[in-house]
Amino acid sequence: MKHTIVMTGASRGIGRVAAEHILRRSPDVHLLVVARGSSGAQLAAELGAGGHTVSHVPADLGSLADVSSAAGKIRDRPDRGDLPPLRGFVGNAGMQYTNALTEGPDGFEATFAVNVLANHLFVRLFQDRFITPARIGVTVSDTHSGDFTHNMGMVPGPVWKSPGVLARTGVFTKRDTAVGGRTAYSTSKLAAIHLVHEYARRLPTGIDAVAYNPGFVPGTGLARNAGPVSRFAMRRIMPVMTLTPFATSRSAAGRYLADVVLGTTRAPTGSYVDRSRVDRSSQESYDPQRERELREAAERFTAAHAARADAISGDGTSGSPR
């Protein structure tokens, strides 16, 4: 049966590899990529070469207004018959800044806005439009563990605070440095795992939510906001580490992500998939109270934008996961 998978972060890195695998291995998929500005049209054309079905919707994931507009347009199209039924969402886009002071247009710290709130708003607006079985995949990170074994000392571990605090700028020590930016990143990835656990409890039966950790993948675009020395190291030096067990090649990480999306890697809802297998995430990541509080805060932070999407569609049927 022809169906639609919506994907963010498909333009480069592991997302681009995963998108190519998804299209090649699942001919029934209509892949709808969400990308900034005019880049989506070029991306859709490149991925669609060879007869694959790909379309795009523009959105800046740092803007919740953009996300709600994009999600609102997407979720109505199956009802009109110009898009196959929605069966998946892949929240692969991620952002890391060189400080913890960057504020998005909605007043939220920019890392938290992209890595946590944008995904939540997509889930919130799509969850009553999925046909089952459906799968939500969110790309997370080794950095959420916070220990040397997983981070190799390159990224500080997460520093959890109440969601209302995490959503704002200037939360972490050394907030005006790359250390602050990396702490915001690792904390946002811990938050993403918390939300996956909460989705598993609340989403209707047949809609699975899975967190995917690609491991350390050198050579992706994640360091594009870093300084020239760090960017050079990530592009030219760190890729050698893929020859060791401490890193994952971009091609392998993209293939593993496609396996999660397509269900080749069997993972029950709420799972954490470490590269190619289901595993446990950090001990800190299992905290039902924290997960509930985070989800409630994300609902508050995105409520006005969800209501705006309802107004666009005119049906008012969107709601939070049960």
Side-chain angles (χ1 to χ4, degrees):
M1 175 183 176
K2 196 77 174 177
H3 58 275
T4 299
I5 294 175
V6 177
M7 184 174 186
T8 69
S11 60
R12 59 169 65 90
I14 68 173
R16 178 62 178 262
V17 175
E20 292 169 352
H21 272 277
I22 290 167
L23 290 166
R24 186 164 59 248
R25 291 159 50 186
S26 185
D28 288 337
V29 164
H30 179 125
L31 186 65
L32 195 159
V33 294
V34 180
R36 182 180 298 185
S38 60
S39 64
Q42 180 178 348
L43 175 61
E46 292 172 358
L47 291 173
H52 301 300
T53 307
V54 186
S55 60
H56 77 283
V57 170
D60 176 357
L61 298 180
S63 164
L64 294 181
D66 264 24
V67 172
S68 66
S69 175
K73 293 173 182 175
I74 293 167
R75 69 184 190 144
D76 290 339
R77 289 178 59 188
D79 294 339
R80 297 197 303 265
D82 62 354
L83 190 71
L86 188 60
R87 185 163 269 169
F89 168 69
V90 187
N92 179 64
M95 183 59 70
Q96 179 178 302
Y97 290 88
T98 55
N99 59 63
L101 296 172
T102 304
E103 186 176 272
D106 304 288
F108 299 113
E109 193 276 319
T111 313
F112 192 85
V114 174
N115 297 356
V116 181
L117 295 182
N119 285 334
H120 181 74
L121 187 51
F122 275 118
V123 171
R124 179 174 185 166
L125 291 172
F126 288 162
Q127 60 99 22
D128 61 347
R129 302 302 175 94
F130 286 119
I131 60 167
T132 57
R135 173 159 287 196
I136 295 164
V138 178
T139 299
V140 293
S141 170
D142 262 339
T143 61
H144 87 277
S145 296
D147 55 30
F148 186 84
T149 301
H150 292 90
N151 294 345
M152 293 177 287
M154 294 188 294
V155 180
V159 178
W160 192 261
K161 300 179 185 295
S162 70
V165 174
L166 289 177
R168 304 302 174 182
T169 59
V171 173
F172 306 107
T173 58
K174 300 182 179 179
R175 59 191 182 181
D176 58 343
T177 70
V179 172
R182 290 169 185 163
T183 305
Y185 177 79
S186 63
T187 306
S188 75
K189 292 303 185 178
L190 175 60
I193 296 173
H194 282 328
L195 283 179
V196 165
H197 293 164
E198 192 68 3
Y199 295 152
R201 297 185 188 101
R202 292 178 174 272
L203 288 169
T205 300
I207 304 176
D208 294 343
V210 176
Y212 164 67
N213 169 38
F216 174 54
V217 186
T220 67
L222 187 60
R224 58 187 175 272
N225 287 325
V229 174
S230 294
R231 291 200 307 271
F232 176 82
M234 285 293 289
R235 286 197 309 266
R236 304 298 183 187
I237 299 173
M238 292 299 185
V240 177
M241 293 184 66
T242 60
L243 301 176
T244 76
F246 299 105
T248 313
S249 69
R250 184 172 58 181
S251 59
R255 184 176 73 252
Y256 295 152
L257 175 55
D259 289 342
V260 169
V261 174
L262 297 176
T264 306
T265 297
R266 296 189 177 184
T269 188
S271 293
Y272 174 80
V273 177
D274 184 3
R275 300 164 179 84
S276 61
R277 62 188 179 88
V278 175
D279 202 351
R280 283 185 63 81
S281 47
S282 70
Q283 183 175 348
E284 184 184 8
S285 70
Y286 297 93
D287 188 327
Q289 180 176 347
R290 185 188 286 182
E291 291 157 4
R292 182 174 61 253
E293 291 173 352
L294 175 61
R295 180 257 173 190
E296 290 171 353
E299 288 284 288
R300 292 195 306 273
F301 297 153
T302 59
H305 299 284
R308 188 173 297 114
D310 288 341
I312 291 172
S313 64
D315 63 6
T317 58
S318 166
S320 61
R322 292 197 296 265

